[in-house]
Structure formats: structure tokens, C-alpha cells
């Protein structure tokens, strides 16, 4: 299976608040889009904007200039941090301004990571809006095949815009709805409006996207199954976003996915290794990485290298031999509350569990975290690696990695189906039980981990989502949906900035609009709990 190579972008943006995009490659628009290659390059830039940060290798000519370290501005990197560092799954030793506030539930409207998340989301939205503007008037010299492909690109751009708006809705709620390039200052709309926009866009493009499994559809591009998954995730959280549940629609959408030819990977770890694009039909849509031709200091480079430190890289070549990178960055570990999700792990010296999805590194690491800034306080979690499952060798790249990030995969479709059935019907079906026990069989290596219909309630599902999907940018959203992100119903170490953890305010379920955006646009209002 060949990866889509991320083509060098033809556009950049000078200011995060400037939505009036224009070509930055030295060509006027009439030349840049005089043939098919311009549209192909532009849609590649849109895909690239989900992980790459600029126009020049891993760093250089950044898309956003609002943060000193360009690597911090990677879409995947800031989204992942917002979803993981705010929860029991990850806590980070770094001391960059504002980064520990994420786990401490102490962020405000001036937090640089909240600010970058907001602007990175709207940067990608701006790119998609501009692509749709350019593609509305095509030149006469295109072949019928090229016109067909550009129509596919249009549907894919609308999908990525919906995907980014889902992130904006999930993290910021009441936001502007911008669907065209304009210099006018936007106003906010209610979350219901954003929800309905995402839903209508996905419904409209569903049949414009290629069906799953098309041989001529490049790996890494979205198809109908990605749209079904995004709709399912939107509906799964509908009650949080709009106050009205849509669990019946979750069931409809995930059953479409399950009815296709996706299959579970043979082993859990190969989903997160350097050749995961070759190893499995479980991944429905990935964000593609390539350590040679699509380099970034964000994306999976951060996720892999940020998890490595202490005894994991004490000896020369140890990090490269075991994880496929030259060194670790001594960043994030996990908390004892998360470890406790895995039977027996916390009492085993090596952190082993009968559940094989537990991938902890304990040598030289303490389970407790007396000092957040000490990497060896807290167990390391090297779930992702840049080692190829097929060869045992390092995947292509030097400082960057080639491990693709699985945005949607079949296992989550199974778990969403179970949660929706419990919410809608009070229990899961026998068919869904079979799907869950397929996941458990892979995790345990036999039937000893099987569950019954009576075992599967909402608390079990939340825990199982943690065991199956940890470090996959779902945890914050899951905890909010189950009422356990803020408040005192679930406490984990350092929640609220206290070692034993404390209850936190419910206004933190939504991030603030960055103060810089409020200054630039006085028509916007701050989210509740963050002042004016």
C-alpha cells in the first residue's frame, strides 16, 4: 500500500486572523491553477495542514507565527495535547509556559496551547474555504478524468472542513461559522448551528466521496467510511453539544462501517508502528507521516519521542533499537489512575497485565508522581514506535518518524456501537457482544477476557475505551460525555494541580476563546467562566 506523499504547499497564511488568503509561491492565481497540478497540490496542502507546520521541511516558513517553537503549532500535536494532557492518560514533565496548566485544569484565555489549537483549527478551515472558492471556477483545459478527481477533492476538502469544525465545536462550542474567504469580522453562532452544519456537510458529500476499499483511492485520503465515522462521533456527543441525544443515529452510521471489509489487526501494537500502513485493514483513516518526505516536529514524532526518557534511552542506540528514534524527549507519562484500568498492572514490577494492551515501561520509573517535572515519576507509555513490525528495524526517517496516526479505526466503531446500544436500549445486542469479545480476545490472547451482556454498562464502556483507545485523542471528550472530566466524580493524580487530585470547575469542559482573538474581533464573546 503506497502512502500519499504530502506535496509541498502552494499557499501559506501571513496572519492567523487574516482570512484573505492568496498564493505565496510567487505565482498569481491564474497561473497557479491553470492546470490540474495546482488543485492536486492544494488538496495535498490541506491534508498536510493536519500535521505539518510550514513550507520548509520539519521547520521553516511556518503556517502560524504566534508561537516561538514551530513544532508546537502542529495541528495533530496541539489537538492531541488538548485531548490527552488534560486527562488521567498523560502528564508532561516539560515546563513550557502554560503546558502544565493543561493537566492542572488551570488554563485561561492567554494559554498559548489553547491559542494555537484555536488558530490551527481555523487555519485549516481557511484553507478549505479558499480551495472551494478556487475550485468553483475551473479552467477549460481539464480532461474528464481530471474533472472527476477535482470533484473528489472538493468533497474531501468539505470533509476536512467538517472535521476541523467538529474539533472547534468539541473544544470551544460557540464559535464563528465561516464558509468563505472574507476580511469581515465574523460573529459567533450557537453550538446547535455548528452541529447542524457539520451534519449537513457530511450528508451532502457522502456519495461524492469514494466508497471504502477502492483500489484507485490513495492511502491517506478520506472516503465514505471516514464520513460515517465522523458522523457517528458527532452523534455520540450530540447530547453534550446540543442537549439532544442521537444514539440511534450512532448505531446507523457505525453499522455502515462494520458492514464494510475492515478487519481487526492481528496484534494491537502493530496499529501504532512504523509500517502500520502496510500491516492492517483496521485503520479507516490515518493522518499520514513520512520521516523522509513529510517531516514535522509535531505529529507522531512528538507522540513517539515525547514518551521516551529515563532508562529507555540511557545507553547509546537504545532509543533507536527499541523505538526507532535517535533519542527521547523525556515528556509525558501516565498516572496511577489510568494504570489501574488494567488488571494486575499496578502490582506487577514490569507493569504487565493479563490485558496485553497495557504497554508500560517501569524500569527506573515510580508509579506515583511526587514531582511533575521529573520524567521518571510516573510510568512511561511507549505505545507508539517508529519500528517496523514487518522487519523489526527502524522505519524511514532520521529525526522524524513514519508512523501514521490512526484517526478512525474499526475497534472504535465497535465501542461506539456498544455505548449507543446501552444508551438507546439499556443493553448491548448479542452481535455487539461478539465484537467486544473480539477486541478482548486480541487483548488477552484467548477467551479469558470475555465479558457478558450484563458486564457491559456505561462505566465499563468508558473504561474499555480507555484500555483500547488510550493516547488516541479521545479521552477528554469521553470523560466529558460521561460526566467525569471536571467535578469530583473521578479524581486522578494532579487533576486540579494537587498531587492527590481535586474536583475542578465544570466551565473547564469548554476551552476559552483566546484573548488575542477577542481583542482582534470585539464582536466575539468569551465562553462562560473565563471572564469577559
Amino acid at each position: 500500500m503506497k502512502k500519499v506523499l504530502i506535496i509541498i504547499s502552494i499557499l501559506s497564511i501571513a496572519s492567523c486572523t487574516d482570512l484573505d488568503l492568496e498564493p505565496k509561491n510567487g505565482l498569481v492565481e491564474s497561473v497557479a491553477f491553470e492546470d490540474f497540478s495546482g488543485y492536486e497540490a492544494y488538496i495535498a496542502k490541506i491534508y498536510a495542514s493536519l500535521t505539518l507546520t510550514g513550507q520548509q521541511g520539519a521547520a521553516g516558513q511556518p503556517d502560524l507565527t504566534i508561537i516561538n517553537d514551530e513544532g508546537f503549532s502542529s495541528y495533530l500535536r496541539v489537538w492531541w495535547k488538548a485531548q490527552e494532557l488534560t486527562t488521567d492518560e498523560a502528564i508532561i514533565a516539560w515546563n513550557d509556559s502554560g503546558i502544565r496548566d493543561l493537566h492542572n485544569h488551570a488554563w485561561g484565555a492567554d494559554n498559548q496551547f489553547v491559542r494555537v489549537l484555536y488558530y490551527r483549527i481555523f487555519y485549516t478551515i481557511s484553507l478549505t474555504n479558499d480551495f472551494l472558492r478556487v475550485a468553483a471556477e475551473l479552467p477549460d483545459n481539464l480532461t474528464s478524468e481530471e474533472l472527476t478527481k477535482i470533484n473528489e477533492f472538493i468533497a474531501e476538502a468539505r470533509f476536512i472542513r467538517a472535521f476541523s469544525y467538529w474539533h472547534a465545536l468539541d473544544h470551544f462550542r460557540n464559535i464563528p461559522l465561516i464558509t468563505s474567504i472574507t476580511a469581515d469580522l465574523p460573529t459567533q453562532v450557537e453550538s446547535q448551528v455548528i452541529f447542524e452544519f457539520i451534519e449537513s456537510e457530511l450528508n451532502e458529500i457522502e456519495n461524492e466521496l469514494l466508497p471504502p476499499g477502492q483500489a484507485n483511492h490513495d492511502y491517506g485520503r478520506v472516503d465514505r467510511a471516514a464520513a460515517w465515522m465522523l458522523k457517528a462521533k458527532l452523534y455520540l456527543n450530540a447530547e453534550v453539544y446540543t442537549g439532544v441525544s442521537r444514539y440511534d443515529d450512532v448505531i446507523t452510521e457505525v453499522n455502515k462501517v462494520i458492514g464494510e471489509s475492515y478487519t481487526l489487526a492481528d496484534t494491537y501494537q502493530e496499529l501504532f508502528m512504523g509500517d502500520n500502513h502496510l500491516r492492517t485493514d483496521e485503520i479507516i483513516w490515518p493522518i499520514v507521516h513520512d520521516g523522509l518526505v513529510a517531516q514535522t516536529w509535531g505529529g507522531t514524532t512528538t507522540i513517539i519521542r515525547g514518551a521516551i526518557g529515563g532508562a529507555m534511552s540511557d545507553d547509546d542506540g537504545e532509543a533507536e533499537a527499541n523505538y526507532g528514534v535517535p533519542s527521547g524527549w523525556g515528556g509525558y507519562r501516565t498516572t496511577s489512575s489510568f494504570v489501574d484500568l488494567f488488571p494486575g498492572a499496578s502490582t506487577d514490577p514490569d507493569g504487565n497485565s493479563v490485558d496485553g494492551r497495557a504497554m508500560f515501561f517501569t524500569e527506573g520509573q515510580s508509579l506515583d508522581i511526587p514531582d511533575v517535572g521529573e520524567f521518571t515519576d510516573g510510568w512511561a507509555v511507549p505505545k507508539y514506535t517508529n519500528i517496523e513490525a514487518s522487519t523489526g528495524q527502524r522505519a524511514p526517517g532520521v529525526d522524524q518518524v513514519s508512523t501514521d496516526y490512526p484517526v478512525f479505526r474499526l475497534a472504535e466503531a465497535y465501542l461506539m456501537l456498544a455505548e449507543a446500544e446501552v444508551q438507546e436500549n439499556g443493553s448491548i445486542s448479542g452481535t455487539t457482544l461478539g465484537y467486544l469479545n473480539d477486541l478482548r480476545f486480541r487483548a488477552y490472547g484467548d477467551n479469558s477476557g470475555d465479558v457478558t451482556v450484563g458486564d457491559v454498562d456505561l462505566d465499563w464502556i468508558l473504561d474499555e475505551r480507555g484500555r483500547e483507545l488510550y493516547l488516541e485523542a479521545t479521552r477528554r471528550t469521553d470523560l466529558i460525555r460521561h460526566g467525569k472530566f471536571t467535578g469530583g466524580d473521578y479524581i486522578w493524580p494532579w487533576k486540579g494541580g494537587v498531587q492527590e487530585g481535586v474536583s475542578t470547575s465544570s466551565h473547564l469542559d469548554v476551552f476559552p476563546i483566546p484573548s488575542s482573538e477577542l481583542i482582534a474581533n470585539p464582536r466575539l464573546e468569551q465562553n462562560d467562566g473565563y471572564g469577559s
Side-chain angles (χ1 to χ4, degrees):
M1 184 182 295
K2 183 179 180 181
K3 288 192 180 186
V4 174
L5 301 185
I6 304 300
I7 304 170
I8 189 168
S9 77
I10 57 170
L11 296 175
S12 65
I13 191 167
S15 168
C16 54
T17 56
D18 178 10
L19 302 180
D20 186 14
L21 296 176
E22 60 182 33
K24 302 293 183 183
N25 63 343
L27 300 177
V28 297
E29 185 173 292
S30 60
V31 176
F33 298 104
E34 67 181 0
D35 59 28
F36 175 75
S37 63
Y39 301 93
E40 187 175 44
Y42 203 163
I43 194 65
K45 168 60 185 178
I46 291 170
Y47 277 103
S49 75
L50 298 176
T51 193
L52 304 190
T53 57
Q55 321 305 313
Q56 184 177 303
Q61 302 180 39
D63 296 330
L64 303 181
T65 57
I66 59 174
I67 195 166
N68 291 331
D69 186 331
E70 183 182 325
F72 278 140
S73 71
S74 164
Y75 192 131
L76 175 54
R77 183 169 176 168
V78 291
W79 168 44
W80 188 91
K81 284 178 179 175
Q83 289 289 93
E84 294 296 343
L85 294 184
T86 56
T87 78
D88 57 340
E89 289 187 353
I91 187 168
I92 201 160
W94 302 341
N95 201 27
D96 304 272
S97 177
I99 197 166
R100 293 190 191 173
D101 290 343
L102 297 177
H103 196 87
N104 291 346
H105 285 203
W107 57 81
D110 292 320
N111 184 283
Q112 65 173 334
F113 297 98
V114 173
R115 181 171 69 249
V116 172
L117 175 64
Y118 183 90
Y119 287 129
R120 175 50 78 174
I121 289 170
F122 277 98
Y123 173 77
T124 293
I125 289 170
S126 296
L127 287 180
T128 59
N129 284 339
D130 193 56
F131 176 83
L132 296 172
R133 177 189 64 82
V134 170
E137 296 184 15
L138 300 174
D140 296 331
N141 62 342
L142 298 173
T143 67
S144 59
E145 181 180 357
E146 289 171 339
L147 287 171
T148 297
K149 281 201 167 290
I150 290 174
N151 284 330
E152 293 170 7
F153 295 163
I154 290 171
E156 292 168 41
R158 292 175 70 183
F159 171 90
I160 293 173
R161 181 173 65 178
F163 180 69
S164 294
Y165 262 118
W166 171 55
H167 287 156
L169 172 66
D170 188 60
H171 293 88
F172 299 100
R173 292 293 191 275
N174 300 313
I175 50 174
L177 178 58
I178 306 167
T179 59
S180 62
I181 299 300
T182 176
D184 295 336
L185 294 176
T187 58
Q188 287 155 300
V189 297
E190 294 182 354
S191 57
Q192 176 74 39
V193 176
I194 302 296
F195 183 98
E196 291 174 353
F197 172 76
I198 298 168
E199 180 183 28
S200 65
E201 284 287 285
L202 295 173
N203 285 335
E204 287 180 19
I205 66 173
E206 180 174 330
N207 291 328
E208 302 300 319
L209 296 168
L210 286 178
Q214 289 278 341
N216 63 342
H217 195 52
D218 294 319
Y219 173 82
R221 289 172 61 192
V222 296
D223 58 21
R224 289 177 197 170
W228 298 332
M229 286 293 288
L230 182 52
K231 278 197 286 184
K233 290 177 79 75
L234 182 71
Y235 294 143
L236 187 66
N237 296 285
E239 195 164 5
V240 173
Y241 302 150
T242 71
V244 178
S245 66
R246 297 284 296 273
Y247 296 112
D248 56 338
D249 291 314
V250 177
I251 294 169
T252 297
E253 299 302 327
V254 295
N255 275 326
K256 293 178 187 176
V257 175
I258 293 168
E260 294 295 330
S261 58
Y262 299 104
T263 57
L264 293 180
D266 291 338
T267 65
Y268 184 72
Q269 186 161 20
E270 66 186 322
L271 288 160
F272 313 102
M273 299 184 72
D275 56 352
N276 55 355
H277 64 293
L278 297 173
R279 298 288 299 179
T280 174
D281 292 323
E282 182 175 339
I283 298 173
I284 294 164
W285 178 47
I287 295 176
V288 174
H289 293 79
D290 190 300
L292 296 178
V293 300
Q295 297 176 340
T296 175
W297 291 114
T300 48
T301 297
T302 293
I303 296 171
I304 291 172
R305 298 188 69 172
I308 299 170
M312 306 166 78
S313 56
D314 278 350
D315 298 329
D316 288 344
E318 189 171 10
E320 182 158 352
N322 294 329
Y323 307 108
V325 292
S327 62
W329 294 349
Y332 67 90
R333 304 87 74 207
T334 195
T335 71
S336 57
S337 295
F338 177 71
V339 172
D340 285 341
L341 293 181
F342 294 90
S346 64
T347 57
D348 185 271
D350 298 319
N352 293 324
S353 169
V354 289
D355 187 328
R357 293 169 295 190
M359 288 188 274
F360 302 120
F361 184 93
T362 64
E363 181 186 345
Q365 307 283 135
S366 65
L367 181 59
D368 293 329
I369 307 175
D371 184 354
V372 173
E374 181 59 58
F375 178 81
T376 53
D377 287 357
W379 284 1
V381 198
K383 173 174 173 174
Y384 296 80
T385 80
N386 193 43
I387 296 293
E388 293 181 335
S390 56
T391 67
Q393 302 299 309
R394 178 180 180 166
V398 179
D399 287 317
Q400 286 76 35
V401 306
S402 292
T403 307
D404 295 335
Y405 184 82
V407 180
F408 302 140
R409 59 187 181 92
L410 180 63
E412 187 174 12
Y414 290 166
L415 291 164
M416 286 195 288
L417 178 61
E419 185 169 344
E421 286 185 348
V422 170
Q423 290 280 14
E424 190 73 4
N425 306 320
S427 65
I428 61 170
S429 67
T431 299
T432 301
L433 178 65
Y435 297 147
L436 296 179
N437 281 331
D438 286 344
L439 297 179
R440 306 279 291 180
F441 185 91
R442 178 171 68 182
Y444 282 71
D446 56 32
N447 294 113
S448 62
D450 281 7
V451 293
T452 66
V453 169
D455 294 326
V456 181
D457 58 15
L458 292 178
D459 287 338
W460 185 91
I461 290 169
L462 177 62
D463 289 348
E464 187 70 2
R465 285 183 66 87
R467 288 183 283 265
E468 179 67 33
L469 301 171
Y470 67 97
L471 304 182
E472 295 183 53
T474 70
R475 189 61 167 173
R476 169 189 162 273
T477 302
D478 291 345
L479 289 173
I480 290 172
R481 187 173 65 255
H482 287 260
K484 295 185 176 181
F485 180 66
T486 54
D489 285 351
Y490 179 42
I491 302 295
W492 58 84
W494 292 102
K495 178 181 177 179
V498 177
Q499 183 175 353
E500 62 272 18
V502 294
S503 175
T504 55
S505 172
S506 62
H507 81 275
L508 297 166
D509 286 347
V510 179
F511 286 113
I513 305 297
S515 56
S516 56
E517 186 69 359
L518 296 176
I519 294 169
N521 183 0
R523 303 177 72 181
L524 301 181
E525 295 183 1
Q526 185 55 276
N527 287 328
D528 291 343
Y530 293 103
S532 58

